[in-house]
Amino acid sequence: MPYLRPLLLLTLLSLSPVTALAAKAPLRILAWPGYADSDLVAEFEQRQEVKVEVTLVGSDEVLRSKLAANNGGDYDVIAANTAEIEQYVNQQLLQPLQPQKIGNTTRQLWRFRDYPKIPGITHAGLVYAIPYTYSEMGLIYDRQQFQEPPTSITSLWDPQLQGRVLAFNTSSHNFAIASQARGRDPFQIADEDFPQITEQLIALRRNVLAFYALPEEAANLFRKHKVALLFANYGRQQLKQLQDEGADVGYVIPREGALAWLDCWAISRGARDPQLAAAWIDFTLEPRISHTLTQRQGLSNTLEEPAEVDRASRLVWLRPVEDASRRARLWQRIISGERPPLEETP
């Protein structure tokens, strides 16, 4: 019946955009707070005509477990530091990228595009991650409670500050700063050093008010309990948050140096639409979006030099640790109040 064909064609044309949109799977992002704000996500959704699902994490351990739960199949694009990226590449949880097809990478400072010189993000000549933002983990202190700024990471253990210290709830970083406080390598702890460092972290647990997970939690505790000293895992992001809330705080990089992270975007092995995931990475590298990250979070972006470029010499970039599972196992016992056996072996 030829006379039905125009009507049928009109019907198909009117339905096809709806059908296509419905069939387009949402983009699943696994990231840290501040990396995928709702208004920016909404803008990306409108541009790409796609839904975005954002899952936020508060520690490397949580990020690790979520990504590994389904061999990378539950998320499309993730944000992780270079040390974690290296582990994910080795576990085959990520897929290689094509930076030349992510146009806004050309806007980045050269040191963030010289991929072979960034430890952890390349393997066998392939690139697995695109740098996005970075910060050191400094010390935030209440100016009203210090005559002079603290100068050492060992201030976290100062008995005069007992109950007025906040630290971050993570295994790898806490073992790193405890080793750093002893003048040792933060990332490669020898077997014979674990008992002493474990005892040191038990002492830290006794000295702190609490171990926090997210910046908002730390800010609330800081204000409510008149905290004197805060180990800032989120770095200047936390400093800006407290300053914006009117807190009279200072910020220092300890003399031992500050652990520092370079967070990157990567595409999981199980990504349903790698091109859409790459489009998100490209979107976040637009100047306006990257500047928004810096303005809102106080973090450095990869498009422009920070104001304090001289601090770079005191940054201790994160590297893979000797045994992440051992650190995690011991940390769970420490934070639960259980004394780990000194004779524990890896």
Side-chain angles (χ1 to χ4, degrees):
M1 298 189 296
Y3 60 89
L4 287 180
R5 286 179 184 172
L7 179 60
L8 179 61
L9 179 60
L10 179 61
T11 303
L12 289 174
L13 287 174
S14 65
L15 290 177
S16 58
V18 177
T19 305
L21 185 58
K24 202 170 185 179
L27 178 70
R28 303 162 301 171
I29 299 174
L30 183 64
W32 296 86
Y35 289 14
D37 287 349
S38 58
D39 59 328
L40 302 181
V41 166
E43 181 178 340
F44 181 81
E45 288 178 324
Q46 186 174 17
R47 284 195 203 178
Q48 298 291 330
E49 296 186 329
V50 67
K51 288 294 183 183
V52 174
E53 298 172 355
V54 178
T55 300
L56 299 179
V57 297
S59 73
D60 289 329
E61 289 83 0
V62 172
L63 176 62
R64 205 176 298 144
S65 64
K66 285 185 175 295
L67 184 62
N70 190 26
N71 291 320
D74 292 335
Y75 303 96
D76 302 302
V77 60
I78 70 161
N81 68 61
T82 52
E84 293 294 313
I85 292 290
E86 183 170 345
Q87 295 186 60
Y88 301 154
V89 171
N90 292 335
Q91 295 165 7
Q92 299 183 343
L93 293 174
L94 304 177
Q95 58 180 276
L97 302 168
Q98 295 181 291
Q100 68 275 15
K101 294 186 177 180
I102 302 175
N104 284 317
T105 57
T106 60
R107 299 178 183 272
Q108 294 180 287
L109 298 170
W110 172 246
R111 68 175 180 274
F112 297 115
R113 290 186 284 137
D114 196 0
Y115 306 117
K117 291 185 180 179
I118 304 175
I121 71 169
T122 62
H123 180 72
L126 299 175
V127 178
Y128 284 84
I130 301 296
Y132 177 52
T133 184
Y134 62 99
S135 181
E136 74 283 342
M137 304 177 202
L139 297 175
I140 297 175
Y141 64 97
D142 181 359
R143 294 181 189 273
Q144 302 301 316
Q145 299 186 58
F146 282 86
Q147 292 184 347
E148 297 290 336
T151 60
S152 171
I153 198 70
T154 59
S155 299
L156 296 169
W157 282 266
D158 186 343
Q160 295 185 14
L161 300 178
Q162 186 174 23
R164 292 181 291 142
V165 175
L166 289 177
F168 186 59
N169 186 7
T170 184
S171 58
S172 288
H173 296 348
N174 284 332
F175 272 92
I177 62 173
S179 183
Q180 190 181 34
R182 295 172 62 85
R184 307 292 181 85
D185 189 323
F187 310 114
Q188 297 300 314
I189 299 175
D191 286 344
E192 59 269 23
D193 288 338
F194 263 97
Q196 294 86 352
I197 290 177
T198 297
E199 287 295 316
Q200 194 167 348
L201 287 176
I202 291 173
L204 179 65
R205 186 200 72 209
R206 291 171 176 163
N207 208 50
V208 304
L209 169 70
F211 292 96
Y212 69 91
L214 296 174
E216 294 77 13
E217 179 188 3
N220 290 335
L221 290 169
F222 194 95
R223 293 192 309 271
K224 182 177 180 180
H225 297 280
K226 301 187 186 316
V227 166
L229 188 63
L230 163 64
F231 174 74
N233 180 81
Y234 298 86
R236 293 169 189 266
Q237 182 180 17
Q238 287 175 272
L239 175 67
K240 185 177 187 303
Q241 183 180 50
L242 287 168
Q243 289 175 332
D244 288 348
E245 294 173 358
D248 184 13
V249 292
Y251 183 80
V252 295
I253 296 177
R255 62 171 177 257
E256 297 88 353
L259 302 181
W261 44 263
L262 172 60
D263 275 0
C264 304
W265 290 115
I267 299 177
S268 77
R269 185 180 69 177
R272 295 181 295 205
D273 189 342
Q275 289 186 344
L276 183 61
W280 168 261
I281 298 173
D282 194 55
F283 172 73
T284 64
L285 294 179
E286 292 181 9
R288 179 175 58 84
I289 307 302
S290 278
H291 293 161
T292 298
L293 172 79
T294 299
Q295 292 163 2
R296 293 181 181 178
Q297 308 301 331
L299 297 173
S300 299
N301 64 63
T302 57
L303 276 62
E304 56 191 355
E305 294 287 2
E308 302 174 42
V309 294
D310 59 334
R311 76 180 194 265
S313 62
R314 298 168 64 194
L315 303 188
V316 182
W317 294 104
L318 294 180
R319 303 196 311 270
V321 301
E322 77 297 316
D323 190 337
S325 61
R326 183 183 191 184
R327 292 190 181 199
R329 184 171 64 249
L330 287 169
W331 178 246
Q332 285 306 310
R333 292 177 177 176
I334 291 167
I335 199 171
S336 68
E338 178 185 350
R339 180 177 290 275
L342 296 182
E343 66 275 10
E344 177 174 320
T345 55

